[in-house]
């Protein structure tokens, strides 16, 4: 696996290229994305970039777990050919001033609670698509609204990339894998389990009941394709999101 830090050093990539954008602290969810890319693509590029533009809260950005040495090994074992891990100045050089704003689909849920988040996500994804030129790009269904935003971006700007969403990978106790889970104390993790339990009811009212007493950002049905029951909660200083895919009749 090649580790590339500069855009100029990526060079030509062979055949059909698959891109897996990540912010590192890789876990089995990321590995599932890389495995899906490995099955379908000639060259698998994993990007590792903690994108400051999608963090509203500087404390959240500072606390974001980072372990590049480990990520390198995980990405390689999972089947990546290239790990693209640029510095912040490589992607946002001094004078940077162009942003991508996806409108309606980015407004509710995460968009409502994290102003500017999807502007940062859409901008970095468009930049990565332009830099890596993938035929396929892999995203986790865990971030259902992100998938919807990226699909909209691709449609609206006529990007020549197929967006593939990969089912959410969970721990045995049901908690969706997330880089942020390492920030939870054992007691917090216990409380966090209400989130997958709530969503497993697949029912808005039942989910709200299950989450009673917790700090809830939202619990909502969202009419994405596919529709989901989605929720975000705060446990201590950690914010967790999750969703379950609903059948058309349930939505
Ligand atoms: P992140 O590093 O958190 O930005 O995530 C990078 C990609 O991995 C995103 O497309 C996420 O949706 C995806 N991802 C994160 N957690 C999971 C999970 N538990 N299952 C599947 N995909 C995931």
């Amino acid at each position: 696996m090649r580790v590339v830090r500069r855009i100029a050093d990526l060079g030509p990539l062979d055949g059909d290229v698959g891109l897996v954008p990540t912010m590192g602290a890789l876990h089995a969810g990321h590995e599932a994305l890389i495995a899906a890319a490995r099955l379908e693509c000639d060259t698998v590029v994993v990007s590792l970039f903690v994108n400051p533009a999608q963090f509203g809260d500087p404390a959240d950005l500072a606390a974001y777990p980072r372990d590049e040495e480990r990520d390198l090994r995980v990405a390689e074992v999972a089947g990546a050919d290239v790990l693209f891990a640029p510095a912040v100045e490589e992607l946002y050089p001094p004078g940077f001033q162009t942003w991508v704003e996806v409108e309606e689909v980015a407004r509710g849920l995460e968009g409502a609670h994290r102003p500017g988040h999807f502007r940062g996500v859409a901008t970095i994804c468009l930049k990565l698509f332009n830099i890596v030129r993938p035929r396929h790009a892999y995203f986790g269904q865990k971030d259902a609204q992100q998938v919807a935003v990226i699909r909209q971006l691709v449609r609206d700007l006529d990007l020549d990339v197929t967006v593939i969403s990969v089912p959410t990978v969970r721990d045995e106790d049901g908690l969706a894998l997330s880089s942020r889970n390492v920030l939870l104390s054992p007691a917090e993790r216990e409380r966090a389990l209400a989130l997958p339990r709530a969503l497993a009811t697949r029912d808005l009212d039942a989910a709200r009941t299950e989450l009673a007493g917790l700090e809830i950002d939202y619990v909502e049905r969202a009419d994405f394709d596919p529709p989901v029951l989605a929720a975000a909660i705060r446990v201590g200083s950690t914010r967790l999101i999750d969703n379950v895919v609903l059948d058309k009749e349930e939505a």
Side-chain angles (χ1 to χ4, degrees), residues 205-222:
D205 292 334
R208 288 212 173 106
T209 306
E210 193 68 52
L211 291 173
L214 285 165
E215 213 182 318
I216 303 171
D217 269 1
Y218 61 80
V219 198
E220 279 177 47
R221 269 192 293 251

Side-chain angles (χ1 to χ4, degrees), residues 21-24 27 29-30 33 64 138-140 142-143 146 166-169 176-177 179:
T22 83
M23 298 204 300
H27 50 64
H30 299 110
L33 270 58
Y64 202 81
Y138 297 82
F139 293 87
K142 173 175 175 277
D143 297 280
Q146 172 168 274
V166 175
T168 303
V169 178
L177 295 184
S179 301

